[in-house]
């Protein structure tokens, strides 16, 4: 294994180690964010019956085909159909039924005249314009036929799909299970939110909370394991719980420091380490391995920015694959750089935090001023990574660049 693994190789290794999880049947609301593991057919024709697209009058085309403002068709009003009605009135020659949107078309009628082209007087309705036969009628089955698949296996369930599932009378649905992902921060210096600072050298831990939320927003089920000290025994105790999860993420303790124990301890719990250092910036120290079939271990860097970048580049596609998603990467677009970007060392591929927006038909990209890996402020307000390839020292204002949106 070369000292620094190129990103493509790392991604290939991760994706070769992961596959969609088993499937389960869940209640409609719990399917949100999941991917379908079955094809869902429509239970009936949609619409189920011919119905009105407008508030107006259900008529026979033959009766109104010559109607005009000067020479209105005069029809006898024989009843009213509202949505959900149980009425059964026949529209015979010379008659009309008042109708509301969504109400079934009465027998005999074939056209709906919107109310704004009519006038009602003394039990009669005056139709003041001609309409084509079938106007304003929504036909049975014109959206979808009974048995036709409306949602396919692999389809992501968003709010719209929840609506469609309800529409075809499904309260439970088969989806890929969401991965259980554990997250643990490691470091003697770390303080939990709300904990009192005892020494100036202590720092507030952000990583395990950032990751918890990133896991959740990526579709995984996060499990918070909190903070562990740089103590091999204590660490080992927590690491041993990895078998309870699909993915186990630690942060810190995978660099060159003497107290960076995680990289040694993972071997004791049976993790088969597949790479340890990446040719990217930030997030060089990333350890990845498997501990059984479809069980992934990620040792992410302690620096908060590196930790976030490593999550987006490697953990995110793994979670998406387990979820059964077809598209597992964040979206890439081409943007125009709004200012020069330079760097001295061009050995690694850099993912610079940037702001991307759409203006006058193209994306613009502004790299943020703060780019160091301990500066979490470089993430706030950023919505994309500017990708600076290996060997590139300088990108000029006005140049087209590749950005990854997040
Ligand atoms: P390490 O990888 O353990 O050497 O940590 C690298 C840097 O990241 C050090 O400055 C740590 O203090 C910092 N760091 C480690 N873990 C966290 C964390 N959970 N939250 C914020 N910063 C951290
Ligand atoms: Mg540490």
């Amino acid at each position: 294994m070369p000292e620094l693994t190129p990103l493509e190789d790392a991604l290939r290794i991760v994706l070769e180690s992961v596959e969609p999880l088993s499937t389960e049947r869940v209640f409609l609301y719990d399917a949100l964010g999941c991917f379908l593991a079955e094809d869902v057919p429509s239970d009936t024709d949609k619409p189920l019956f011919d119905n009105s697209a407008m508030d107006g009058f259900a008529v026979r085309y033959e009766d109104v085909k010559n109607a005009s403002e000067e020479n209105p068709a005069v029809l006898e009003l024989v009843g009213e159909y509202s949505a959900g009605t149980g009425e059964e009135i026949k529209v015979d020659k010379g008659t009309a039924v008042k109708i509301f949107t969504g109400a079934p078309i009465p027998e005999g009628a074939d056209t709906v005249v919107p109310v704004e082209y009519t006038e009602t007087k003394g039990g009669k309705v005056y139709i003041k314009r001609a309409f084509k036969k079938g106007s304003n009628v929504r036909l049975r089955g014109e959206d979808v036929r009974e048995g036709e698949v409306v949602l396919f296996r692999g389809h992501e369930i968003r709010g719209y799909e929840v609506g469609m599932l309800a529409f075809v009378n499904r309260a439970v649905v088969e989806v890929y299970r969401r991965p259980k992902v554990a997250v643990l921060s490691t470091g003697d210096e770390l303080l939990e939110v709300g904990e009192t600072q005892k020494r100036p050298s202590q720092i507030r831990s952000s990583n395990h909370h950032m990751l918890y939320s990133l896991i959740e927003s990526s579709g995984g089920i996060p499990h918070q394991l909190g903070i562990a000290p740089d103590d091999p025994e204590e660490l080992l105790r927590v690491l041993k719980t990895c078998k309870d999860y699909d993915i186990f993420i630690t942060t810190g303790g995978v660099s060159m420091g003497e107290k960076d124990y995680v990289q040694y301890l993972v071997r004791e719990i049976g993790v088969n380490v597949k790479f340890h250092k990446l040719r990217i910036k930030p997030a060089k120290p990333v350890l990845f391995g498997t501990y059984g079939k479809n069980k992934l271990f990620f040792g992410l860097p302690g620096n908060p920015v590196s930790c976030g970048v490593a999550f987006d580049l490697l953990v995110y596609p793994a979670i998406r694959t387990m979820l059964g998603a077809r598209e597992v990467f964040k979206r890439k677009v081409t943007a125009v750089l709004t200012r020069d970007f330079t760097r001295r060392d061009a050995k690694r591929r850099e993912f610079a935090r940037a702001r991307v927006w759409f203006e006058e038909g193209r994306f613009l990209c502004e790299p943020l001023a703060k780019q160091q890996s301990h500066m979490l402020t470089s993430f706030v307000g950023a919505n994309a990574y500017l990708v600076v390839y290996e060997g590139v020292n300088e990108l000029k204002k006005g140049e087209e660049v590749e950005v990854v949106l997040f």
Side-chain angles (χ1 to χ4, degrees), residues 186-187 189 230 253 260:
T186 71
E189 75 280 30
D230 292 317
D260 290 340

Side-chain angles (χ1 to χ4, degrees), residues 163-184:
M164 179 51 99
L165 287 165
F167 196 47
V168 299
N169 199 24
R170 292 292 296 264
V172 286
V173 62
E174 184 96 10
V175 296
Y176 292 96
R177 186 165 69 72
R178 296 166 68 197
K180 286 185 220 146
V181 188
V183 51
L184 174 75

Side-chain angles (χ1 to χ4, degrees), residues 185 190-191 193 203-211 302 304 376:
S185 277
L190 301 179
L191 279 176
V193 177
I203 66 145
R204 202 63 68 182
S205 172
S206 50
N207 291 350
H208 61 295
H209 297 300
M210 173 176 71
L211 288 170
L376 201 49

